[in-house]
Amino acid sequence: MTVAQETVTSWARSARAMSAREWLVTLFIGWLALAVIGPDKAYRIYFHGLIYPLTLYLLVRGQSGIHWRDPFLRLFLLFCGYMAVTTWLVGDVPAQDDAKATRWGLEAALGMLAFFIWMPRVLASPLVWGRVFLIMAIAGAAGGFLLALSGHSVDGRLVGLGAMDHAIQGPSIIIVFTAIGFFLLHSGLERWTPGYRFLLLSAMVVVTLFTVLTKSRAPIGALALYVLFIVLLLLPGRGGLGKMAGVGAALVVALACVHWLVGLPVLLEQMLARGDSYRADIWYAYLAYPPESLWLGNGAGMGPEYTSAARMYLEPRELSFAHPHNLWLGTYSETGLIGLAMLLGLVGLLAWSALRFGRGWTEKLHLLGLLGLFGMLTFTDEHSLLLSLKPIWLFGWIPLVFVWCWAWYGRRQAHDDAEKTGTGEAG
């Protein structure tokens, strides 16, 4: 038997020995890869064709390992059900639009269950998944560079492949991947070897370069604030000056490349020329012209073009936009004050769990920093968490579920044990 045959045989035996849950976790690696370097919509087809069926299989067999008393998961599933039902109670729209919104609620619920099966394995292997997320971030940026070399751009702004084919959502995805990857490596490594340092700094350089060349101000601002936050957070610790020097060098290299390619003054002028992209008008419209029902909203099935905000304020000014461009306003418009309260409850649970169960103040703040990154990236371009498979699952759901699982499952048991023994080690 040749070496190649032995390798294939060994791989086949390992594959047969894997449980259904292990297969699901492995499938998520392929999903992340397709999301950043795959053909258009391939990551959606992959999720629907492979991850959904395997998730259903695990649920039916009772092998999902999900803790059904989980407060975050329960509230999220309640939110999905609430949206799926109330869309029929408000909004004068065709039945197929309400049916679509109901289907999205069901897909979001099942998708979140898949995430809750996957994420505990991420926590169990932080070094493996830290590398995975950083490599995916580098691959996503590289795909965008290759597209640019082929002459493809959107209004002169860099975009990527797969789920990254939008100038705002694309950089948001790989910024989150880099942040999660760094968190995992920082938490799992006792000592940063040259290989890990090179991987992290390479990710910082290419992600910064890609983000700046998209000319999307929200992701650029979010990345800048997050890097500053991390530097200030880790500077007082061991090797803080060396870390700061490494981060500074990566940023200088990235900005030097930007200046060589476009010119920083030209880039700044182009970004300022877009003004506020009518965000102030959009937000004012949704605040000044509330939904049909303050409590239930307009219903997720109502297209934004039919809302009072669009008909009475935006259209007369010849402003046409797909949605409110803000997660909080979008949730308020679609699901009313009740839905907005549920979103606040989800974020509140995350902040509470990070502060309650994080190990030491550095980790607590680091978790809150990830939550803040989610807030910045969804402030100017998103409108709902409850959608069929969309890019927000990558840069919205992943940090939310990661923060929750890290604190609630990864740290809560140690915290509770420390309180029982009176050692106080968890805080």
Side-chain angles (χ1 to χ4, degrees), residues 172-187:
S172 297
I173 290 170
I174 57 175
I175 288 171
V176 164
F177 283 10
T178 304
I180 297 289
F182 170 69
F183 185 100
L184 286 167
L185 293 186
H186 182 262
S187 301

Side-chain angles (χ1 to χ4, degrees), residues 30-45 139-144 147 152 154 159-167 169-171 173-174 177 210 389-392 394-395:
W31 180 65
L32 294 176
L34 283 177
V36 296
I37 58 174
D40 184 39
K41 295 184 176 60
Y43 74 104
R44 298 182 189 178
I45 297 171
L147 278 180
H152 179 77
V154 177
V159 294
L161 296 164
M164 294 178 54
D165 63 352
H166 187 279
Q169 295 169 344
I173 290 170
I174 57 175
F177 283 10
F210 179 91
L389 185 50
K390 300 289 183 183
I392 195 171
L394 292 151
F395 67 87

Side-chain angles (χ1 to χ4, degrees), residues 161-218:
L161 296 164
M164 294 178 54
D165 63 352
H166 187 279
I168 298 178
Q169 295 169 344
S172 297
I173 290 170
I174 57 175
I175 288 171
V176 164
F177 283 10
T178 304
I180 297 289
F182 170 69
F183 185 100
L184 286 167
L185 293 186
H186 182 262
S187 301
L189 285 172
E190 294 184 1
R191 177 177 173 273
W192 282 83
T193 63
Y196 281 113
R197 291 178 187 274
F198 178 78
L199 178 63
L200 176 61
L201 295 178
S202 297
M204 287 190 60
V205 169
V206 297
V207 168
T208 300
L209 180 58
F210 179 91
T211 301
V212 173
L213 291 178
T214 63
K215 305 175 187 177
S216 298
R217 292 162 297 183

Side-chain angles (χ1 to χ4, degrees), residues 261-321:
L261 291 169
V262 208
L264 289 175
V266 174
L267 185 69
L268 182 61
E269 182 180 349
Q270 291 174 346
M271 290 192 294
L272 293 176
R274 299 205 309 271
D276 67 353
S277 297
Y278 302 103
R279 293 299 193 270
D281 289 292
I282 299 170
W283 296 340
Y284 173 80
Y286 278 91
L287 290 171
Y289 297 90
E292 176 183 304
S293 167
L294 284 176
W295 292 108
L296 303 180
N298 289 314
M302 177 181 280
E305 66 273 18
Y306 300 117
T307 63
S308 298
R311 291 185 293 102
M312 302 179 70
Y313 185 86
L314 296 174
E315 288 180 5
R317 290 161 175 78
E318 298 183 349
L319 300 176
S320 176
F321 297 95

Side-chain angles (χ1 to χ4, degrees), residues 52-64 68 110 117:
Y52 269 145
L54 190 50
T55 300
L56 285 171
Y57 171 81
L58 289 168
L59 292 171
V60 170
R61 294 293 299 270
Q63 298 173 356
S64 67
W68 294 103
L110 185 57
I117 298 172

Side-chain angles (χ1 to χ4, degrees), residues 340-356:
L340 186 60
M342 290 184 181
L343 178 59
L344 283 167
L346 290 170
V347 175
L349 276 173
L350 291 166
W352 171 79
S353 66
L355 290 171
R356 173 73 173 165

Side-chain angles (χ1 to χ4, degrees), residues 44 48 52 76 79-81 83-84 87 96-112 300-304 334 383-390 393 397:
R44 298 182 189 178
H48 282 80
Y52 269 145
F76 187 91
F79 194 11
C80 291
M83 183 273 277
T87 186
Q96 60 262 31
D97 293 339
D98 285 328
K100 181 180 72 172
T102 298
R103 174 173 61 83
W104 283 4
L106 295 175
E107 289 185 18
L110 185 57
M112 183 56 73
M302 177 181 280
E334 290 190 352
H383 71 286
S384 176
L385 287 176
L386 309 185
L387 295 166
S388 179
L389 185 50
K390 300 289 183 183
W393 285 32
W397 284 24

